[in-house]
Amino acid sequence: MRGLWWIGILLALGSCGRYFPQDLQPLAQQAEGMVVNDDGSITFSIDRLAINLKPMTDAELNRQFPAASSGGAASTNPYTFGDWKQPGEDWTRSRFTVIQLKVSNYQYPKVVIDPLKATITSTNNRVYRSISYAQLYDYFRAFWLGRTGQGRVDFKSRTSILRQSMYTEATTVFSGSEQEGYLVFPLLNDDVTEIRLDLEDIAVRFNYAGEAIEKVDLRFSFEREVLRGNSQEEALQANADQIRRP
């Protein structure tokens, strides 16, 4: 009976702590035609058409928009919380799941990808749909302190970054050109460790009326670790100890 009591204590201690999701990485095994790159991206190629997806870390997004990522709670990076940390915390939780999409088209007269048809599905059956610019516009409008003053300035700063950097529905990649932008999804739940990202109905051929007559569906697979501990430092240390353990 005493042994069972100790087992219960150990299980309780082992289950305590918070979740600290790590960065998404490509799975080694991908669909045919996919290549995993050293920068953590995946590229699919059809002859001279290349479609590349790369999960963006908060650190990368903050470096991309440095002026908007400083100032603590006043930072206006729409993709992250910038350099803000909640008092007493040693880490900053992500705001969204952001994926960079790059398209290089040297094969077809034009290629059209609708980002709103991009979907993330986890192996535990959670589904996350791409967030549109209009939805993000409404989301950040709720942060206004008023239609004038600093609230309006911050709102305009965030939406300006979104307009310039998101991959939008209006993007057409003509022959001999390249386009890139961000796909934005809700933050993944802490219990998600493996996902597939589906890009559906990629239009590569069109008829005389401009209607798509050939489409391609692509699937990219990623994984991540989710560490547990009372702090990020503790979770990382516990994970390092486990890796070193023979």
Side-chain angles (χ1 to χ4, degrees):
M1 190 70 178
R2 185 176 179 82
L4 293 175
W5 180 80
W6 272 109
I7 290 173
I9 293 294
L10 291 172
L11 288 174
L13 290 173
S15 63
C16 68
R18 298 155 59 194
Y19 293 96
F20 296 92
Q22 304 302 291
D23 299 331
L24 285 167
Q25 301 292 335
L27 278 171
Q29 188 67 36
Q30 299 288 332
E32 184 179 355
M34 302 280 186
V35 175
V36 175
N37 306 302
D38 292 339
D39 65 353
S41 66
I42 303 171
T43 302
F44 175 80
S45 298
I46 307 177
D47 297 323
R48 292 183 298 161
L49 169 67
I51 298 173
N52 178 279
L53 287 186
K54 181 183 185 299
M56 298 296 294
T57 67
D58 281 6
E60 290 171 327
L61 291 164
N62 288 339
R63 288 194 296 269
Q64 183 70 25
F65 309 103
S69 303
S70 61
S75 61
T76 56
N77 188 331
Y79 299 111
T80 75
F81 289 109
D83 62 358
W84 176 80
K85 287 184 174 62
Q86 185 174 338
E89 296 286 2
D90 62 352
W91 74 304
T92 301
R93 191 171 181 83
S94 297
R95 189 193 290 269
F96 298 111
T97 301
V98 182
I99 309 291
Q100 184 184 59
L101 168 62
K102 292 183 178 181
V103 182
S104 300
N105 178 26
Y106 296 91
Q107 179 69 20
Y108 300 98
K110 67 178 180 179
V111 172
V112 177
I113 298 177
D114 185 350
L116 298 185
K117 292 186 178 180
T119 304
I120 288 177
T121 304
S122 69
T123 51
N124 58 343
N125 297 319
R126 293 188 182 274
V127 178
Y128 306 87
R129 304 197 181 281
S130 180
I131 303 173
S132 69
Y133 170 81
Q135 290 171 315
L136 289 171
Y137 183 98
D138 289 341
Y139 169 77
F140 284 112
R141 186 166 57 180
F143 286 75
W144 280 18
L145 299 178
R147 291 191 173 273
T148 59
Q150 191 59 45
R152 181 174 177 81
V153 171
D154 292 347
F155 173 75
K156 289 172 69 71
S157 175
R158 291 187 174 108
T159 53
S160 176
I161 291 173
L162 291 172
R163 281 197 308 271
Q164 295 172 23
S165 59
M166 285 186 71
Y167 200 103
T168 66
E169 305 94 302
T171 303
T172 298
V173 188
F174 292 100
S175 178
S177 65
E178 301 179 355
Q179 294 287 342
E180 66 179 74
Y182 295 133
L183 306 177
V184 183
F185 298 87
L187 188 64
L188 301 179
N189 292 78
D190 290 335
D191 60 356
V192 172
T193 57
E194 186 175 325
I195 65 169
R196 66 175 187 266
L197 194 157
D198 292 304
L199 287 180
E200 298 182 339
D201 295 338
I202 301 171
V204 295
R205 293 190 189 278
F206 300 80
N207 62 17
Y208 69 93
E211 300 167 331
I213 57 174
E214 182 180 342
K215 296 181 179 180
V216 178
D217 294 336
L218 298 180
R219 173 168 294 178
F220 302 77
S221 299
F222 300 92
E223 63 181 348
R224 68 176 185 176
E225 287 188 281
V226 179
L227 308 181
R228 296 195 67 177
N230 293 312
S231 68
Q232 184 182 42
E233 182 179 358
E234 177 185 301
L236 291 170
Q237 184 60 52
N239 185 62
D241 292 342
Q242 185 176 7
I243 292 174
R244 288 194 296 265
R245 190 175 301 146

